Amino acid sequence: MKKIALLFTTISLVCLSAKAQIKTNLDADWRFHLGHAANPEKDFNYGIATIFSKSGGAAKTAIDPKFIDTTWTKLNIPHDWAVDLPFVYSPNFDVESHGYKPIGGLYPETSIGWYRKHFTVTPKPGLDRYELQFDGIFRNASIWLNGFYVGTNQSGYVGVSYDVTDYILTDKENILVVRVDATQYEGWFYEGAGIYRHVWLNQFNNLHVADGDFFVHSTLNGKKATVTLETTVTNKNFNTTNCTVFTFIKSREGKIIGTTSEQKLSLTTNQQGTIKQKITLSNAILWDIDNPYLYRAVTVVKQNGKIVDQQETKFGLRTVAFDGQKGFFLNGKSLKIKGTNNHQDHAGVGSALPDDLQYYRIKLLKELGSNAYRASHNAPTRELLEACDSLGMLVLDEQRLLNSSPEYLDQFTRLIKRDRNHPSVFLWSIGNEEGWIQKNDFGKKIALTLLAKQRELDPSRTSTYAADMGNEFPGVNEVIPVRGFNYRQFEVADYHKDHPNQPLLGTEMGSTVTTRGIYEKDPIRAYVPDQDITAPWWASKAEEWWSLAAVNDYWMGGFVWTGLDYRGEPTPYKWPNINSHFGIMDVCGFPKNIYYYYKSWWTNEDIIHISPHWNWADKVGQPIEVWVNTNADDVELFLNGKSLGKKVMPRNSHLKWSVPYEPGKLEAIGFKKGKKITTSVETTGAPYRVIATPNRSTLKANGTDAVIVNLSIVDEKGREVPVADNRIQFQLTGDAKIIGVGNGDPSSHEPDHCPEGAWQRSAFNGKCQVILQAGKTKETLTLKATANGLASETITLIQTN
């Protein structure tokens, strides 16, 4: 009893004490300059000067700590320099698929980026080790600290950490230099360029738990959860060190609800040791998409009775199961996967998203009715997973390449160890559409190696592979636990008949192409109609795949290509089209009409939506095809009060009328289980004013918080004008800043970044977007939006501590 009391006293002291590790963000105050892949003189002598012959020798290069960088551009990380480059026409497929940005081997003058950071470090007693952590750099990034070469990370997506204890200076200026080489692509979509995720300096004890070396998983029996806590401790002391390790669990509210005993561990120099401990929780609260409850596990390492390391990890308790006949189960309950694929870029900012924008995008997908997110085709940011954990979104976490070389096994290892504590991650993907190898023995053997690594590092989950194959079994499909289908939706039933016990999932479905607010094919401006009528040869319309997946239990569901539009992969057109049309929403997150199809069948909300708009002055008397997306039982359509007929709503489909156009009001009245639901569209007047709607009204004065402001052009009655294209200018007062603008136009060549004081963007079919980032002063901010000939809009935002 005394031991238990003593342990809880220790835990109380731990809770009150400062963390034994210090994590310092290094995002602010960098210097940046483009280099040159083909001209060493313009690449700051890189390639001419000898920098690897002697440690610390880098004279006459930008690596040299004495190099003067005062003329370089000042900026903060995350940073994507590709956003600032112009759109450049090229007949090259890779340039086209990357959104016609001049990045890659054809553009040596804009494909190398140099970053320099000056910083100082205050030593802390007992925290003698220093580590640089880069969450993501695109790509092939070489790092130097104070002239010493630290390492090179090939991956543009999986982060990397380096022990820099031997090179760092305390209470003196340090110079961190990063050379980013984006001349080679990793994907066939917009990838950006630069240090586009966070950078950290970590300080910790020689005896510590490294990032990724704590693993929490659980088994459930009714309301009782047995939580297994695996802690790997590393000893960097110069002698054998004895320590004790224990972990306690806190509820979301901060109450300590379970603890392990202190377990002894003895480690020689550079040795790692792993301790497995268990805690049983009664009345466990499960993590679920509707109740994403997160516990906290606090791991403590003590040496000679003193805490030398401490980490807190959020985790959730939940079970996942995959059945070849019955589909997917979360916490023992059948759940149809209603997922979306997504690349990581967003309007205005490219790949360099502020953390709040990750949450904004996941919230948009949740509102759609989506319950799952496929990180296609690469490791997502840590912050995206945190958003999915806290908001309740399942994640299919994907390896960039089906390859088992040491480089890619290391990338896969880093991915799993980084992400395995996230309850949102329900399934791993070992790759996507590897046409050279997926049907042969190479693919099978590589898949087995990756699967073995996954089971070693995370036996609590399993894996899939996104195969653009139909009813074909040889190769990867022979060994993959969960069969992934990219398209080929009409062959799913045959495959299931031949392999009835293998669970299957639509890893990539749909690929319907639509342009928000456009209703005719326009090959000149590269637009396609905003209805579920156009899909490439390999793909399908929304109704074609979902009507199959929805009614068959053996289909776990699927992931639509894509939730939001993204830069690159212009389809079915090329130039001047510079981004995809695949999204259920556009690159800003504005819904297209197909959004309401999915929302009708993916939610229990009362949905009724009419398209197109009703501004057709040049088509009076001509037939307009009217679509109604709804989950009502039946719908009656009215034009200016006159009935155009009632129709029964087929499950997982839509309704259509041919309506001779006349100005006025088009109204749909539906009944859902006896409840009346209505919607309407009206012919609007001319553009009259700008309306600005922020996603929230307050920001934290921390220099990183972000607010998304959506703009609409409305008429005198406040109705959005669906064809308005007025150019809007933005003026922001206060120490916050605008970091990007967009409008969802897939063929717009307007800049995403503008000079300070000259921020502007044209509306596209009535809408555009501006993204703001907080400053560090507690104050009231004002954003004024003006357009020639229109009434302006001014909104206030509170920047608070």
Side-chain angles (χ1 to χ4, degrees):
M1 190 69 184
K2 289 182 178 179
K3 288 183 178 179
I4 296 174
L6 181 61
L7 185 58
F8 271 89
T9 300
T10 301
I11 293 172
S12 299
L13 291 173
V14 169
C15 293
L16 292 172
S17 68
K19 288 187 177 180
Q21 291 197 17
I22 296 177
K23 192 179 186 75
T24 304
N25 184 273
L26 296 183
D27 287 354
D29 299 324
W30 287 74
R31 301 294 183 272
F32 173 78
H33 204 292
L34 287 173
H36 202 296
N39 187 336
E41 292 181 357
K42 293 183 178 180
D43 202 28
F44 304 102
N45 233 18
Y46 188 83
I48 295 178
T50 301
I51 58 176
F52 292 110
S53 62
K54 299 288 184 181
S55 289
K60 299 181 180 179
T61 72
I63 301 163
D64 189 344
K66 298 178 182 178
F67 180 86
I68 305 300
D69 58 20
T70 53
T71 61
W72 288 22
T73 301
K74 296 180 181 180
L75 52 79
N76 294 336
I77 304 301
H79 175 240
D80 176 359
W81 84 71
V83 174
D84 290 317
L85 299 176
F87 297 100
V88 176
Y89 173 71
S90 172
N92 177 272
F93 169 78
D94 288 308
V95 176
E96 167 199 314
S97 69
H98 282 75
Y100 291 106
K101 287 290 187 176
I103 296 288
L106 292 175
Y107 303 97
E109 70 280 7
T110 50
S111 295
I112 302 291
W114 286 88
Y115 293 84
R116 287 173 57 89
K117 164 79 176 175
H118 300 245
F119 67 98
T120 57
V121 177
T122 301
K124 300 291 184 182
L127 303 183
D128 299 324
R129 298 218 74 80
Y130 296 87
E131 178 186 74
L132 284 171
Q133 175 186 319
F134 297 89
D135 286 348
I137 308 173
F138 193 88
R139 63 171 295 276
N140 189 16
S142 295
I143 295 105
W144 292 264
L145 181 63
N146 297 325
F148 289 92
Y149 174 69
V150 174
T152 298
N153 184 30
Q154 294 292 329
S155 173
Y157 299 102
V158 181
V160 66
S161 298
Y162 298 104
D163 189 321
V164 294
T165 304
D166 296 342
Y167 314 130
I168 204 155
L169 299 171
T170 56
D171 291 327
K172 294 181 182 179
E173 185 178 70
N174 292 274
I175 309 296
L176 175 59
V177 180
V178 182
R179 181 181 185 267
V180 182
D181 184 347
T183 55
Q184 182 60 264
Y185 303 120
E186 285 190 63
W188 52 96
F189 40 85
Y190 180 88
E191 299 180 276
I195 308 177
Y196 71 99
R197 297 182 184 174
H198 298 303
V199 181
W200 308 89
L201 177 69
N202 302 321
Q203 297 173 249
F204 43 81
N205 193 272
N206 284 329
L207 195 67
H208 62 274
V209 180
D211 183 37
D213 280 350
F214 176 73
F215 179 31
V216 54
H217 51 100
S218 61
T219 57
L220 295 169
N221 184 7
K223 292 187 176 183
K224 181 182 290 186
T226 300
V227 183
T228 301
L229 308 141
E230 300 183 29
T231 306
T232 300
V233 181
T234 299
N235 178 31
K236 287 292 183 178
N237 288 307
F238 205 60
N239 47 40
T240 298
T241 303
N242 297 317
C243 64
T244 60
V245 179
F246 73 93
T247 301
F248 61 92
I249 293 176
K250 299 188 296 182
S251 67
R252 181 167 63 186
E253 296 74 26
K255 181 182 178 181
I256 297 170
I257 55 176
T259 183
T260 69
S261 60
E262 291 193 28
Q263 192 166 336
K264 294 179 180 179
L265 190 62
S266 181
L267 300 171
T268 59
T269 301
N270 285 334
Q271 185 183 8
Q272 290 186 321
T274 300
I275 288 177
K276 288 188 179 182
Q277 300 171 304
K278 294 182 185 295
I279 295 176
T280 299
L281 301 178
S282 302
N283 297 315
I285 301 175
L286 303 189
W287 183 95
D288 191 86
I289 57 173
D290 297 319
N291 181 33
Y293 190 92
L294 296 172
Y295 291 92
R296 277 75 170 159
V298 181
T299 305
V300 182
V301 180
K302 295 171 68 178
Q303 182 184 5
N304 298 324
K306 179 183 177 182
I307 296 171
V308 295
D309 193 20
Q310 177 185 330
Q311 289 189 27
E312 182 173 294
T313 302
K314 293 180 181 179
F315 71 97
L317 302 173
R318 52 78 181 135
T319 64
V320 294
F322 307 88
D323 187 279
Q325 299 293 335
K326 299 178 180 179
F328 173 68
F329 293 81
L330 177 65
N331 299 325
K333 298 179 181 179
S334 177
L335 181 71
K336 187 73 76 172
I337 297 297
K338 302 168 182 175
T340 64
N341 289 269
N342 291 281
H343 287 310
Q344 63 180 1
D345 61 282
H346 190 88
V349 294
S351 294
L353 276 67
D355 296 349
D356 297 279
L357 191 49
Q358 305 284 5
Y359 284 80
Y360 179 77
R361 286 163 61 93
I362 297 301
K363 286 177 181 177
L364 291 179
L365 293 169
K366 287 277 289 186
E367 290 168 3
L368 162 68
S370 177
N371 58 23
Y373 181 106
R374 180 180 171 215
S376 43
H377 305 286
N378 48 263
T381 67
R382 294 172 186 254
E383 293 73 30
L384 181 134
L385 293 180
E386 290 168 1
C388 292
D389 285 347
S390 63
L391 296 175
M393 177 73 74
L394 294 168
V395 175
L396 175 55
D397 207 340
E398 188 157 276
Q399 165 83 336
R400 172 71 286 277
L401 209 61
L402 185 70
N403 192 310
S404 56
S405 69
E407 169 64 31
Y408 287 101
L409 263 182
D410 180 58
Q411 290 185 23
F412 195 42
T413 297
R414 282 184 276 158
L415 174 69
I416 292 175
K417 291 180 72 173
R418 189 197 72 169
D419 295 349
R420 61 187 176 178
N421 290 326
H422 290 280
S424 57
V425 176
F426 79 111
L427 187 63
W428 301 105
S429 170
I430 63 171
N432 173 78
E433 294 188 3
E434 297 281 0
W436 299 107
I437 59 175
Q438 62 187 7
K439 300 181 184 181
N440 60 36
D441 237 23
F442 287 119
K444 178 180 176 180
K445 290 187 289 185
I446 293 169
L448 283 170
T449 298
L450 292 173
L451 289 171
K453 177 58 67 175
Q454 178 252 298
R455 290 175 185 174
E456 170 199 343
L457 298 172
D458 180 18
S460 71
R461 296 179 180 87
T462 190
S463 291
T464 188
Y465 166 76
D468 53 335
M469 302 162 61
N471 188 14
E472 301 169 90
F473 192 60
V476 177
N477 290 338
E478 293 180 64
V479 297
I480 199 70
V482 176
R483 167 68 207 272
F485 271 88
N486 281 15
Y487 314 108
R488 315 298 192 271
Q489 67 278 354
F490 297 118
E491 298 187 56
V492 171
D494 290 337
Y495 185 90
H496 171 66
K497 183 179 179 181
D498 293 341
H499 311 282
N501 295 321
Q502 187 179 25
L504 57 86
L505 173 67
T507 40
E508 205 164 304
M509 291 284 134
S511 277
T512 310
V513 285
T514 60
T515 308
R516 178 179 59 79
I518 298 293
Y519 294 94
E520 295 178 334
K521 289 185 178 180
D522 186 341
I524 303 301
R525 294 186 296 172
Y527 299 148
V528 285
D530 190 11
Q531 302 288 20
D532 186 20
I533 60 176
T534 310
W537 64 267
W538 71 84
S540 73
K541 294 180 286 186
E543 289 187 32
E544 288 176 339
W545 86 270
W546 181 247
S547 61
L548 295 171
V551 299
N552 288 296
D553 290 342
Y554 62 81
W555 266 50
M556 290 193 289
F559 294 84
V560 179
W561 191 266
T562 53
L564 287 85
D565 277 343
Y566 55 93
R567 298 162 189 259
E569 285 201 303
T571 307
Y573 302 111
K574 298 181 180 180
W575 185 269
N577 186 191
I578 46 82
N579 72 248
S580 83
H581 296 260
F582 296 118
I584 297 171
M585 293 172 271
D586 66 21
V587 291
C588 295
F590 298 136
K592 304 179 188 179
N593 286 318
I594 202 170
Y595 174 98
Y596 299 97
Y597 170 77
Y598 283 111
K599 189 162 187 176
S600 292
W601 308 115
W602 281 9
T603 74
N604 292 320
E605 297 177 36
D606 297 335
I607 305 299
I608 187 165
H609 175 76
I610 297 175
S611 60
H613 59 74
W614 212 237
N615 283 33
W616 302 101
D618 58 341
K619 293 188 177 183
V620 173
Q622 297 181 34
I624 302 293
E625 188 173 81
V626 174
W627 288 47
V628 173
N629 285 115
T630 183
N631 51 18
D633 301 319
D634 53 61
V635 175
E636 188 170 8
L637 192 67
F638 295 84
L639 177 59
N640 295 326
K642 180 181 179 181
S643 176
L644 302 176
K646 178 185 288 188
K647 296 186 179 184
V648 175
M649 181 68 236
R651 185 77 180 168
N652 298 315
S653 188
H654 70 281
L655 296 174
K656 283 196 295 188
W657 284 260
S658 180
V659 180
Y661 178 74
E662 64 178 62
K665 180 179 181 180
L666 189 65
E667 184 178 21
I669 298 177
F671 284 87
K672 183 180 178 183
K673 296 180 179 179
K675 180 182 179 181
K676 182 179 179 180
I677 56 176
T678 68
T679 191
S680 63
V681 291
E682 296 182 55
T683 308
T684 73
Y688 174 75
R689 71 172 299 139
V690 180
I691 297 293
T693 306
N695 70 312
R696 52 196 174 91
S697 59
T698 60
L699 301 87
K700 294 179 182 178
N702 58 10
T704 61
D705 208 3
V707 165
I708 295 86
V709 182
N710 293 324
L711 289 300
S712 296
I713 306 293
V714 301
D715 68 4
E716 263 191 294
K717 294 183 178 180
R719 300 170 299 189
E720 183 174 283
V721 181
V723 294
D725 60 0
N726 306 71
R727 180 168 295 178
I728 304 173
Q729 291 83 35
F730 303 102
Q731 294 176 299
L732 180 65
T733 62
D735 75 338
K737 60 183 179 181
I738 298 174
I739 60 172
V741 289
N743 62 10
D745 181 353
S747 295
S748 174
H749 293 188
E750 292 182 80
D752 295 286
H753 290 172
C754 304
E756 288 304 319
W759 283 93
Q760 59 183 343
R761 189 71 172 200
S762 298
F764 177 62
N765 292 330
K767 299 178 184 292
C768 68
Q769 184 175 84
V770 57
I771 302 170
L772 313 180
Q773 192 159 49
K776 293 187 176 182
T777 305
K778 183 179 179 180
E779 62 181 346
T780 298
L781 309 172
T782 62
L783 176 70
K784 186 176 183 179
T786 60
N788 289 340
L790 305 184
S792 63
E793 169 89 315
T794 300
I795 60 171
T796 59
L797 303 168
I798 306 300
Q799 194 165 269
T800 179
N801 294 329

